[in-house]
Amino acid sequence: MKGKISVNLREKLEEIKQNGLEEIRRAEDTKHINDVRVELLGKKGSITEVLRGMRDLSAEERPKVGSFANTIRDELTQAIAEKHAELEELKLAKRLESETIDVTLPATPVKTGTPHVLVQVIDEIEKLFLGMGFQVVDGPEIEEDHYNFEMLNLPQDHPARDMQDTFYITKQLLMRTQTSPVQARTMEVHDFSKGPLKMISPGKVYRRDTDDATHSHQFHQVEGLVIDKNITMGDLKGTLELIAKTVFGQQREIRLRPSYFPFTEPSVEVDVSCFKCGGKGCSVCKQTGWIEVLGAGMVHPNVLKMAGVDPEVYGGFAFGLGPDRFAMLKYGVDDIREFYLNDVRFLQQFAQKG
């Protein structure tokens, strides 16, 4: 009786093998072949069901049937693996065929970007001063209180600090309110025995302003400094006239009005004749014929002393201008926030450097 059971099990296993090979051959995709694998070789698959009948076999027949079952399992496993690999290759071939690119078709045009309008203005200013023998010096945006205020004649209790309230990281570290600290740092290390110091320091600055059409908590500055023997207010005026004519047009004139800055003495506000009405008076210049554009002055002796420069031998002038304000005036932009919104429709208006 047990011998007959052994024969029946072998016949069932052989039948499962033949039917399985046929099912494997007919599989059309990887999902189908995975279903066949589970049906044949899974825990509840056909071969497992047949092998449960081995408990009725004799001890002598059981290993023979088990070996036969393992052989069939191995054949089916190999056949499934080969079919799966074949189907994967077909799947990849179809995908590659569907994604084929016709390299003879015209390419999609790629739009070439242009520098941001503020970068254009800063580049124009840098080009002007490089041509005059100035150097462009960069510095840290996270600055020490010592350089941002104290080295510029603004001690701890100076009321002018309130106008430059900024973002403090610690009591001694802050986001710089101006690029003047770069000038202080450069004066400290400059060797005047090798020549004068002529520099500009462009960059971002930060103040706790309420954002509106003409103010921003972050904006740009370009500050300039010249230190040498026998520097006069006439040198400053000539430099300021050149800036105004280069940026706003050769017909522009400037005027200097007395002002106050802690780091310069004397100090001046600089106006340029209105480039819209030519000085006759209009809405841009508020009917005055003049537009305020920057501040300047002769370097304060205290600033020179703190940087280790002898004010009895050397003097100089300094100025600070805002590229954001220059761009607003030059292009008639009425809201400074437009420069920072990244609206391509706005920025495309300045595709050509002006």
Side-chain angles (χ1 to χ4, degrees):
M1 181 67 179
K2 288 186 178 181
K4 186 175 181 180
I5 294 173
S6 174
V7 172
N8 288 340
L9 290 177
R10 285 174 174 270
E11 290 176 352
K12 288 182 179 180
L13 289 169
E14 186 64 37
E15 182 180 354
I16 290 172
K17 171 186 171 182
Q18 296 303 324
N19 292 337
L21 291 174
E22 181 61 25
E23 191 67 25
I24 292 170
R25 186 186 64 80
R26 292 202 303 265
E28 298 179 349
D29 53 47
T30 54
K31 182 181 181 304
H32 190 175
I33 197 65
N34 283 331
D35 291 341
V36 172
R37 178 184 59 77
V38 172
E39 181 183 345
L40 293 174
L41 307 176
K43 292 183 179 180
K44 297 181 181 180
S46 303
I47 293 180
T48 303
E49 287 293 327
V50 171
L51 293 179
R52 287 175 182 167
M54 290 179 61
R55 61 177 176 269
D56 298 325
L57 296 177
S58 64
E60 181 182 350
E61 293 177 322
R62 195 173 297 148
K64 296 179 181 179
V65 175
S67 177
F68 183 70
N70 287 336
T71 300
I72 290 179
R73 185 191 301 273
D74 291 343
E75 291 180 10
L76 291 174
T77 299
Q78 182 177 353
I80 290 171
E82 291 174 354
K83 186 66 176 182
H84 188 277
E86 177 186 335
L87 292 172
E88 285 287 358
E89 290 181 6
L90 290 174
K91 181 179 178 181
L92 178 60
K94 289 181 179 180
R95 179 182 173 185
L96 292 174
E97 183 178 356
S98 66
E99 295 179 357
T100 299
I101 299 174
D102 186 350
V103 295
T104 65
L105 292 175
T108 302
V110 177
K111 293 184 178 180
T112 303
T114 58
H116 191 280
V117 57
L118 296 181
V119 175
Q120 293 182 29
V121 172
I122 293 172
D123 285 348
E124 184 178 16
I125 295 169
E126 288 185 357
K127 183 178 179 181
L128 167 65
F129 281 98
L130 287 171
M132 295 167 60
F134 282 60
Q135 58 178 316
V136 179
V137 186
D138 195 11
E141 293 180 20
I142 299 177
E143 187 55 275
E144 298 177 26
D145 182 278
H146 174 71
Y147 286 103
N148 194 80
F149 290 125
E150 294 180 19
M151 289 285 287
L152 302 175
N153 206 28
L154 284 160
Q156 289 285 345
D157 57 350
H158 200 293
R161 284 196 179 206
D162 294 341
M163 298 175 62
Q164 296 190 23
D165 196 11
T166 185
F167 302 94
Y168 280 84
I169 299 171
T170 68
K171 288 184 177 181
Q172 296 302 321
L173 288 178
L174 48 85
M175 304 301 294
R176 67 182 181 187
T177 61
Q178 51 202 353
T179 58
S180 298
V182 183
Q183 299 176 354
R185 289 176 175 273
T186 307
M187 276 194 289
E188 278 189 326
V189 300
H190 183 74
D191 185 354
F192 286 93
S193 66
K194 296 182 179 179
L197 172 59
K198 299 167 62 178
M199 61 169 287
I200 59 170
S201 50
K204 292 193 291 291
V205 298
Y206 307 84
R207 296 182 189 177
R208 291 181 60 190
D209 281 334
T210 300
D211 287 9
D212 57 28
T214 57
H215 297 84
S216 174
H217 64 281
Q218 172 193 299
F219 53 100
H220 295 79
Q221 274 193 346
V222 176
E223 301 209 18
L225 177 70
V226 173
I227 303 292
D228 196 6
K229 299 175 182 178
N230 305 315
I231 297 295
T232 69
M233 199 75 167
D235 298 312
L236 171 60
K237 185 179 179 182
T239 302
L240 297 175
E241 284 182 335
L242 187 58
I243 296 173
K245 291 180 182 295
T246 300
V247 177
F248 298 113
Q250 292 299 315
Q251 304 304 315
R252 302 284 66 79
E253 297 179 1
I254 68 167
R255 72 176 182 181
L256 307 182
R257 291 180 290 108
S259 185
Y260 168 75
F261 302 112
F263 29 82
T264 54
E265 180 61 37
S267 303
V268 294
E269 296 283 0
V270 183
D271 300 333
V272 62
S273 58
C274 183
F275 36 81
K276 184 174 182 181
C277 67
K280 298 177 181 179
C282 65
S283 59
V284 173
C285 61
K286 299 179 182 179
Q287 308 304 323
T288 66
W290 297 92
I291 301 173
E292 180 185 328
V293 292
L294 58 91
M298 304 304 290
V299 179
H300 199 292
N302 289 346
V303 174
L304 294 173
K305 288 178 183 178
M306 285 185 283
V309 181
D310 187 350
E312 298 295 328
V313 178
Y314 293 95
F317 64 78
F319 59 86
L321 58 89
D324 306 57
R325 178 165 172 77
F326 269 36
M328 291 178 72
L329 294 172
K330 184 173 183 177
Y331 297 111
V333 177
D334 57 8
D335 194 325
I336 193 173
R337 290 168 292 193
E338 295 286 0
F339 295 131
Y340 301 103
L341 294 177
N342 292 327
D343 188 331
V344 176
R345 295 168 300 179
F346 171 79
L347 297 176
Q348 282 177 338
Q349 300 176 76
F350 313 100
Q352 298 296 323
K353 291 188 177 183

